[in-house]
Amino acid sequence: MKFEEIAQVAQEVAAYDLTNKEQLEQFRNLYTGRKGRIADLFDGIKNVAPEQRKAYGQELNALKEQALARFKEKQEELEAAGNNQTETNFDFTLPVVPQTLGTRHPLTLVREEIIRIFERMGFNLSEGPEIEDDWHNFSALNFPENHPARDMQDTFFVGADATMLLRTHTSSVQVRVMENEKPPIRTLSPGRVYRNEAISARAHCIFHQVEGLFIDENVSFADLKQTLYYFVQEMFGADTQIRFRPSFFPFTEPSAEIDISCLICKGAGCNICKQTGWVEIGGSGMVDPEVLRNCEIDPERYSGFAFGMGIERMAMLKYQIKDLRLFTENDVRFLRQFESL
Ligand code: 2U9
């Protein structure tokens, strides 16, 4: 009977759930403590038949060892887990802190869209320095010595002798392309340009342009019109009208301003188009033979067209932005409204 009791307690000791400190304490009270079951069994030795006492004592000692070993093992495990505070105390049910994704700047979105459209027509991209010399920014482009753009009031000159300047248009990049490459040339040069202007809702001393240049044999004004017509349809939608108004630039002849039908009122007249139904997006023209000659391209063999458009202007029209300063203020309430990354 007594032997069966030892076996019974041994089973309980092996199966006892010991996953926390409270259970460990109960286990001690129930089995290994001074008033526990194992101590009771030791007390009961006097009732065991003398010839069985030795065997009984051995089995009881084995049970005691087993119970103490189990207690010690679990106690060490729980202590080790208790030292690793961060893991045990972390509340996995807490809501996560949301990860905020950035958005692309509206000028980047518009620039990339323009590039994609002209790439489909076979234009490549060209880049050049923002600090330029007089030749690439003015002289090669046929600006006369006394042209107002060469004035300090209009252009930022750099250095004590003012021989360098911050480019006033990306035409300087296209001059470099013409100097370095033979026609056919189809290139697009987007980039930052600088003009000495007071900052307002409509003007900034830093802004962005995209200019295009197409030089080959037999390039005509009809090619210019068709290229820009395709661009406007793709950029602003198939129901957008385009018109050309005669103009003058030193580097093109003939020259024309590019207008599109107002995106807001579709030509009916509104505040954006000042009731005219038309808004200007840039300028264009046939490259002046003198400019081709300056870049050592034979104007008897080659002709070409060029155009320039303001990226801010197109972004303002596309997204109905009324103040140019929003593009450079980095106010996230403004920036967050555009396409996320
Ligand atoms: C070369 C020869 C000719 C580029 C051109 C314009 C007309 C033009 C303005 C529009 C608004 C600049 O962003 S804006 O302020 N640009 O009106 N640009 S033709 O003509 C070139 C370029 C390079 C070698």
Side-chain angles (χ1 to χ4, degrees):
M1 192 62 201
K2 282 283 175 195
F3 281 95
E4 278 166 23
E5 220 179 316
I6 293 175
Q8 165 73 28
V9 173
Q11 260 182 22
E12 284 179 29
V13 161
Y16 202 88
D17 188 13
L18 287 175
T19 40
N20 58 41
K21 284 188 175 153
E22 288 72 38
Q23 289 169 333
L24 210 59
E25 197 50 39
Q26 281 166 9
F27 182 88
R28 195 213 303 270
N29 290 338
L30 218 55
Y31 301 107
T32 59
R34 276 196 296 120
K35 293 181 180 165
R37 301 273 299 276
I38 296 173
D40 281 351
L41 288 170
F42 271 109
D43 275 351
I45 202 161
K46 52 187 180 285
N47 303 325
V48 177
E51 66 278 12
Q52 288 184 337
R53 271 192 201 150
K54 190 176 172 204
Y56 180 86
Q58 278 171 348
E59 282 204 30
L60 204 50
N61 273 327
L63 169 64
K64 188 179 165 190
E65 296 286 303
Q66 179 205 343
L68 286 174
R70 179 126 205 268
F71 180 87
K72 191 163 175 253
E73 183 198 353
K74 288 290 164 189
Q75 189 179 42
E76 280 171 5
E77 263 179 42
L78 284 172
E79 269 170 15
N83 289 339
N84 200 348
Q85 284 291 323
T86 45
E87 252 183 53
T88 48
N89 291 348
F90 188 81
D91 182 356
F92 289 99
T93 65
L94 283 173
V96 291
V97 179
Q99 283 252 347
T100 46
L101 266 186
T103 52
R104 255 185 280 253
H105 195 282
L107 294 179
T108 305
L109 290 173
V110 168
R111 185 190 64 224
E112 285 177 355
E113 196 171 349
I114 297 167
I115 291 172
R116 277 200 299 274
I117 296 168
F118 280 103
E119 272 176 350
R120 290 205 284 280
M121 290 189 275
F123 282 73
N124 63 15
L125 288 184
S126 48
E127 287 185 329
E130 290 185 19
I131 301 175
E132 263 297 2
D133 53 40
D134 175 89
W135 171 256
H136 292 96
N137 196 78
F138 291 131
S139 295
L141 288 156
N142 211 24
F143 278 80
E145 278 309 320
N146 59 351
H147 193 282
R150 290 176 180 254
D151 200 284
M152 298 271 281
Q153 305 295 312
D154 291 297
T155 301
F156 291 115
F157 289 91
V158 180
D161 56 355
T163 52
M164 301 296 279
L165 49 88
L166 297 180
R167 68 182 182 196
T168 59
H169 43 202
T170 56
S171 312
S172 54
V173 177
Q174 315 207 327
V175 170
R176 287 175 183 277
V177 172
M178 287 207 292
E179 284 174 342
N180 295 320
E181 290 171 31
K182 297 250 159 300
I185 293 170
R186 272 179 230 173
T187 196
L188 196 71
S189 37
R192 184 173 296 162
V193 298
Y194 303 82
R195 290 192 194 166
N196 195 354
E197 294 205 41
I199 298 169
S200 72
R202 303 184 138 261
H204 206 293
C205 57
I206 300 171
F207 61 101
H208 299 81
Q209 268 193 340
V210 50
E211 288 206 347
L213 182 70
F214 192 127
I215 313 267
D216 204 347
E217 290 178 6
N218 301 316
V219 176
S220 72
F221 202 88
D223 299 313
L224 182 164
K225 284 166 75 177
Q226 180 56 40
T227 303
L228 292 171
Y229 175 67
Y230 175 80
F231 166 71
V232 162
Q233 299 262 298
E234 291 290 298
M235 183 76 191
F236 299 105
D239 57 349
T240 314
Q241 311 272 307
I242 186 168
R243 77 173 185 187
F244 294 89
R245 263 182 304 112
S247 188
F248 175 82
F249 306 112
F251 36 82
T252 48
E253 182 59 35
S255 306
E257 312 269 357
I258 314 157
D259 289 351
I260 59 168
S261 54
C262 181
L263 304 172
I264 315 301
C265 63
K266 307 275 175 216
C270 70
N271 285 343
I272 302 283
C273 60
K274 299 195 203 89
Q275 311 303 328
T276 64
W278 296 93
V279 287
E280 188 189 316
I281 59 163
S284 62
M286 300 306 291
V287 178
D288 193 301
E290 193 59 25
V291 175
L292 293 177
R293 226 173 273 125
N294 285 339
C295 302
E296 282 164 28
I297 290 177
D298 180 5
E300 300 299 324
R301 182 171 172 200
Y302 294 106
S303 57
F305 66 80
F307 56 88
M309 296 180 286
I311 298 181
E312 278 83 354
R313 178 125 191 91
M314 277 186 277
M316 287 170 97
L317 289 172
K318 202 172 166 79
Y319 298 116
Q320 297 180 38
I321 298 164
K322 300 239 162 55
D323 193 325
L324 201 77
R325 290 168 290 200
L326 285 162
F327 292 123
T328 43
E329 277 168 355
N330 284 339
D331 185 333
V332 289
R333 291 168 302 178
F334 170 71
L335 296 173
R336 262 205 294 258
Q337 299 174 71
F338 299 92
E339 185 189 288
S340 49
L341 290 169

